[in-house]
């Protein structure tokens, strides 16, 4: 058993836990049970942590029609991404708009898979280096090193991964040195990963009385008072201007990670968007996400929350 929380073969999110710890060992039933509807448990297996606000190129993913993950270095990805719009790979779940087809045609083709894999490996290496540097800075080894997780609105996704901002666990702000940015932000500042802001999991540092209050008012998207979000967006834009990471001169990332996923899954985009650089009340159609040219300006709105935005005055 490798995952304590996972999506099973039927598509349901399930978990595997045991009686919680007590002292130095596993507690008794009496020690684990808090009351008639609460029990302390410990995870049996690893927990996945999905970084909020970012999206890295895929190391591996499901080829069309497959349920197993295949490395982007596999030649079959080169075949697929050379012409992913062909019906020979299966039909999409809905019609792909002509504008989106043209946008994608300009980005795929021969070499697309190897380009994606190159950037995926670079992002993986960048994160590994950040964690290793933190481990050394904290004077810890792999057994004693700890992470600190900050959650936003939702704690778990449908795959059982924790949705979080993640950092080294440093209790004192300046010991052993100034507390660094979260890994999410560090990687964005280097353009090692793509911005991927999905409402309402935008920031764990903004609190609201209820979910409706958290909806951005129309005509105010470009005035959001969230310093961390603003710094991350600006840092990414500056890295792009320097042609770093995903925008490396001569070999920029051709296909966004989420584009690869919806092409392979044969499912059209379904999240509406708000342009964070504008002061309007316009919800951008899911298949027109590319009309917002800079990824740090895209705020994705899942379908289940769309009515909340319309209630506040946003218009399709």
């Amino acid at each position: 058993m490798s995952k304590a929380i996972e999506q099973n073969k039927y598509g349901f999110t399930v978990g595997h836990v045991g009686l919680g710890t007590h002292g130095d060992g596993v507690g008794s039933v009496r020690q684990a049970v808090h009351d008639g509807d609460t029990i302390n448990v410990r995870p049996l297996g690893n927990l996945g942590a999905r970084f909020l606000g970012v999206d890295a190129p895929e190391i591996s993913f499901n080829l069309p029609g497959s349920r197993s993950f295949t490395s982007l270095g596999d030649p079959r990805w080169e075949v697929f991404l050379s012409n992913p719009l062909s019906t020979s790979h299966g039909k999409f779940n809905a019609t792909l708009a002509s504008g989106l087809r043209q946008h994608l045609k300009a980005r795929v083709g021969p070499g697309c898979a190897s380009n994606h894999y190159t950037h995926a490996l670079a992002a993986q290496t960048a994160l590994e280096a950040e964690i290793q540097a933190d481990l050394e800075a904290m004077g810890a080894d792999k057994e004693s090193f700890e992470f600190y997780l900050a959650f936003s609105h939702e704690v778990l996704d449908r795959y059982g991964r924790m949705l979080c901002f993640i950092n080294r666990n440093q209790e004192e702000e300046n010991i052993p040195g100034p507390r660094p940015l979260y890994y999410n932000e560090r990687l964005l500042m280097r353009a090692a990963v793509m911005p991927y802001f999905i409402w309402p999991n935008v920031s764990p540092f903004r609190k609201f009385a209820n979910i409706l209050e958290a909806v951005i008012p129309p005509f105010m998207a470009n005035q959001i008072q969230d310093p961390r979000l603003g710094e991350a967006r600006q840092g990414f834009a500056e890295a792009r201007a320097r042609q770093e990471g995903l925008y490396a001169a001569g070999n920029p990332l051709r296909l966004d990670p989420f584009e690869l996923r919806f092409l392979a899954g044969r499912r059209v985009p379904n999240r509406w968007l708000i342009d964070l650089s504008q002061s309007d009340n316009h919800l951008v159609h899911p298949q027109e996400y590319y009309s917002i040219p800079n990824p740090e300006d895209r705020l994705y709105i899942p379908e289940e929350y769309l009515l909340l935005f319309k209630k506040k005055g946003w218009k399709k």
Side-chain angles (χ1 to χ4, degrees), residues 49-52 149-152 154-155 162-166 184:
R50 177 62 166 88
F51 292 14
L52 285 176
L149 277 59
F151 302 101
S152 187
E154 296 165 324
V155 176
M162 295 180 290
L163 299 171
C164 59
F165 286 78
I166 183 168
N184 317 48

Side-chain angles (χ1 to χ4, degrees), residues 121-134 183 187 190:
L121 292 175
Q124 182 186 54
T125 299
L127 178 56
E128 289 174 356
E130 292 287 349
I131 296 173
Q132 183 63 40
D134 280 349
Y183 296 119
L187 295 175
R190 299 166 56 177

Side-chain angles (χ1 to χ4, degrees), residues 243 247-252:
Q243 295 186 307
Y247 296 91
N251 191 35

Side-chain angles (χ1 to χ4, degrees), residues 134 147-148 165-169 179-183 186:
D134 280 349
F147 293 107
Y148 176 85
F165 286 78
I166 183 168
N167 206 348
R168 71 192 193 196
N169 188 25
R179 184 183 292 120
L181 296 171
Y182 284 76
Y183 296 119
R186 294 188 225 176

Side-chain angles (χ1 to χ4, degrees), residues 217-248:
F219 309 104
M220 296 288 289
N222 65 345
Q223 301 178 45
I224 296 177
Q225 299 300 311
D226 189 328
R228 301 193 73 125
L229 177 62
E231 290 171 7
R233 292 174 60 208
Q234 180 179 347
F236 181 84
E238 292 173 353
R240 180 177 60 242
R242 294 191 301 266
Q243 295 186 307
E244 291 183 5
L246 303 177
Y247 296 91

Side-chain angles (χ1 to χ4, degrees), residues 152-153 199-203 206-218 224 226 274 299 301 305 308-309 312 314:
S152 187
H153 179 70
W199 194 89
N201 300 308
V202 177
S203 172
R206 301 176 71 221
K207 300 301 180 185
F208 299 95
N210 55 65
I211 191 69
L212 184 59
E213 183 182 306
V215 175
I216 300 168
I224 296 177
D226 189 328
I274 287 174
L299 177 62
I301 312 298
Y305 296 118
L308 294 179
F309 281 80
K312 271 289 187 76
W314 287 90

